[in-house]
Amino acid sequence: MAEKQSSSVARKSLGLFLMTIMLFVLSWLFVLRWTCPPPRSLDRKSFFRSSNGVSRTILVNNGKQSDGGGREEEPPKREQGFQDKDGALTCNGIVKEPLKIFMYDLDPEFHFGLLNWKPQGGRVWPDIRTQIPLYPGGLNLQHSIEYWLTLDLLASEISDNPNNRVAIRVQNSSEADLIFVPFFSSLSYNRFSKVNPHQKKSRNKVLQAKLVKFVTAQKEWKISGGRDHIILAHHPNSMLDARMQLWPAIFILADFGRYPLNVANVEKDVIAPYRHMVKSYVNDTSDFDSRKTLLFFQGSIYRKDGGFARQELFYLLKDEKDVHFSFGSLKNDGVNKAGQGMHSSKFCLNIAGDTPSSNRLFDAIASHCVPVIISDDIELPYEGVLDYSEFCVFVRTSDAVKEKYLINLIRSINKKEWTQMWEKLKEVEPLFEYQYPAKDGDAVQMIWQSLARKVPSVKMKINKSRRFSNTVVPQKDGGLRSIPAPKNFW
Ligand SMILES: *[C@@H]1O[C@H](CO)[C@@H](O)[C@H](O)[C@H]1NC(C)=O
Ligand SMILES: *[C@@H]1O[C@H](CO)[C@@H](O)[C@H](O)[C@H]1NC(C)=O
Ligand SMILES: *[C@@H]1O[C@H](CO)[C@@H](O)[C@H](O)[C@H]1NC(C)=O
C-alpha cells in the first residue's frame, strides 16, 4: 500500500516536472518573441506588402518568404541573424506589420483648435498637405508629444507607402490594435488652467470633464474597459482630473512622480522623452579636451519635494575647479546660454527636481554632454530596448551627497571612457528627436514601438476581463454592454 502510494506520488511529481519544463520552454518562446524589436527602429526594409494589397505577417526563413497566414501566428524557429533578400535582419524571422491605430474624431477644441486652428466646413482635422498649424514655441514645446504623434497618424493616411510606417491610422476600430485619444492635454494645462473672472472652471478642467464623458461612452471603451486606449498626459500636471477616471488606459507620461501606483506604472504605461530645448549639436567635432568645463548644471537650486539634493550638491561642488553651477530658468536667453554651456562641458548634472524627470536630461543628450543622473525614481524612455548605462552615469542620491563622492567619481572617468560614452550619445541622440515628418528611429517612431510592445499584454488583459462576463452583448439600442475594469487591475 505504502509502495503503491509512493509510486503514484513519483508519477505525479514526474508529471509535474515535465509540465514545469514545458511551461519554461513556452515562456522562453514568448520572451524571445516580444523582446526582439531592435532599439534603432523597425527596419524599413523589413516590411512587406503582399500581392493582394493586404499587409500580413510574413515568416522569413533563409531568404525564402512564406506567408505566416495572419498576425503573429506560430513562433518561428529561432535562427540567429537570418536575413531577407535585401539583407535586412528580421526580428526572429517575423516581419512586423504597422501598428494599427484608431483615432477618435474628437472636436477640434481638444486638439488643433487649441492651436487657434479654425475648422472650416465641419472638418475635424486640418488638411496637412496644405497647412500644418504650429504648436506654440518656448517651454510649451517640452511636452509637445501630443502634437507630433497626432500629426504622424494624420500623415499615415496620405502616405504613398503606409506599410513602411511604424503606425498607421485605421478607420475601423475593430481592426485596430490600439485606440488613440487626441487631446492636447499638456497644451491645455499650460495655456488654459487659469480661471478667468467670468468662468466658474478653467477651460482645462471643462475639457477634461467633457473628454471623460465622451470617451467612456464610446463602444470602443466599453469593449475594452479602456485598456487599449492611449491617453497623452506628458506634462506632470496635465489630465489632473481625468487621470483618475481614465486610468485603465495606457498613459504616455514624462514620469510617474505625481501618480499613485495603481493609476500609472511602468507595466501599463509608456514614458516619452521631453522635447529638448537647447539646439541639437550638429557636426559635433568637440572632444574630451576641447570641452573645458568638467561638470555643468543649470536650474534653480531651491525646489520643493524631492529637490533637497540640489542644495546639498551646490554646497559640495561650488568651490570645485571646472564645475559650473548656473541658476535661473530657461526663459529668455537662458536656453541659448545653457546650450553653449552644455556643448562645452564633459558631464551634465541631472538632479531630481520637483518631479523625478526633467527636460535637462534631454538637453544634455542633444548636446552630447554625458548625463550624470541623480534621481533615484527616474523612469527613462524606451529602457526596455536601450541601456542608459552606456552613455549616462547614475549616482544614488544617498551617495551623491557624501563629501567628495561625486566629484571624485567624475574625475576618475578617463578620456577613453568618456569618449566611448560621447560616441554612444551621438548614436542615440536621434531616438530623442521629435519632428514632422517623422524619421526612421526618431522619438515618434520609438514611442509607437513602445506602444506596440504593450499590445500583447493589453489583449490578454481584455480577454481575461471577459472571464466572468461571457461575451460582449449587443443591446437593443445598438450599444454594447460595458465590461467594467476590476478594482485592482492593471
Ligand atoms: C469593421 O471591421 C469589422 C471586422 O473586420 C467588420 O465586420 C465591419 O463590417 C467593419 N465595419 C465597417 C463600418 O466597415
Ligand atoms: C554639417 O556638416 C554637413 C556636411 O559636412 C554640412 O553640409 C552641414 O551644413 C553642416 N551643418 C551645420 C549646422 O554646420
Ligand atoms: C484574445 O481573444 C481573441 C479571440 O477573441 C484571440 O484572437 C486573441 O489571440 C486573444 N488574445 C490573447 C493575447 O490571448
Side-chain angles (χ1 to χ4, degrees), residues 117-160:
W117 174 67
K118 301 271 182 289
Q120 275 161 8
R123 288 185 69 102
V124 172
W125 301 107
D127 179 358
I128 57 170
R129 279 169 297 204
T130 55
Q131 172 216 21
I132 298 175
L134 293 178
Y135 199 85
L139 294 180
N140 286 303
L141 276 172
Q142 299 182 90
H143 301 291
S144 54
I145 65 155
E146 47 204 25
Y147 175 69
W148 308 107
L149 291 177
T150 306
L151 277 181
D152 194 52
L153 282 182
L154 293 176
S156 75
E157 293 182 296
I158 53 171
S159 162
D160 296 333

Side-chain angles (χ1 to χ4, degrees), residues 201-243:
K201 277 181 174 179
S202 71
R203 188 158 154 203
N204 180 43
K205 269 184 178 291
V206 171
L207 282 175
Q208 287 180 66
K210 262 186 169 173
L211 184 78
V212 169
K213 199 169 162 211
F214 173 86
V215 169
T216 54
Q218 300 307 302
K219 72 171 193 299
E220 287 81 8
W221 181 276
K222 290 178 180 176
I223 288 171
S224 68
R227 294 168 182 89
D228 57 359
H229 281 49
I230 303 166
I231 304 276
L232 311 159
H234 199 262
H235 191 295
N237 291 341
S238 63
M239 296 293 256
L240 216 48
D241 304 311
R243 67 177 64 164

Side-chain angles (χ1 to χ4, degrees), residues 340-369:
Q340 285 160 18
M342 289 182 169
H343 286 193
S344 54
S345 303
K346 298 180 181 72
F347 296 94
C348 285
L349 254 189
N350 297 271
I351 317 170
D354 38 17
T355 55
S357 73
S358 94
N359 189 56
R360 215 159 283 112
L361 170 63
F362 305 98
D363 283 340
I365 293 173
S367 310
H368 312 150
C369 176

Side-chain angles (χ1 to χ4, degrees), residues 24-152:
F24 181 74
V25 170
L26 279 176
S27 67
W28 255 107
L29 284 173
F30 189 78
V31 167
L32 291 176
R33 285 174 66 193
W34 292 111
T35 51
C36 69
R40 287 312 298 262
S41 67
L42 291 178
D43 198 301
R44 273 189 172 281
K45 290 178 197 143
S46 64
F47 293 108
F48 185 84
R49 200 184 165 94
S50 69
S51 51
N52 62 3
V54 180
S55 97
R56 314 182 80 166
T57 304
I58 304 298
L59 298 181
V60 181
N61 203 341
N62 295 330
K64 278 185 228 138
Q65 287 172 334
S66 63
D67 196 332
R71 203 172 159 74
E72 308 293 7
E73 284 272 86
E74 302 279 340
K77 270 191 229 132
R78 178 145 170 92
E79 290 175 57
Q80 290 260 311
F82 50 84
Q83 302 183 331
D84 71 12
K85 281 199 295 267
D86 303 320
L89 265 176
T90 55
C91 171
N92 294 336
I94 297 175
V95 178
K96 292 273 177 177
E97 60 178 26
L99 179 69
K100 296 200 200 79
I101 296 191
F102 174 80
M103 174 159 74
Y104 287 125
D105 284 322
L106 287 184
D107 188 286
E109 68 173 337
F110 288 100
H111 45 85
F112 288 98
L114 293 169
L115 310 180
N116 295 326
W117 174 67
K118 301 271 182 289
Q120 275 161 8
R123 288 185 69 102
V124 172
W125 301 107
D127 179 358
I128 57 170
R129 279 169 297 204
T130 55
Q131 172 216 21
I132 298 175
L134 293 178
Y135 199 85
L139 294 180
N140 286 303
L141 276 172
Q142 299 182 90
H143 301 291
S144 54
I145 65 155
E146 47 204 25
Y147 175 69
W148 308 107
L149 291 177
T150 306
L151 277 181
D152 194 52

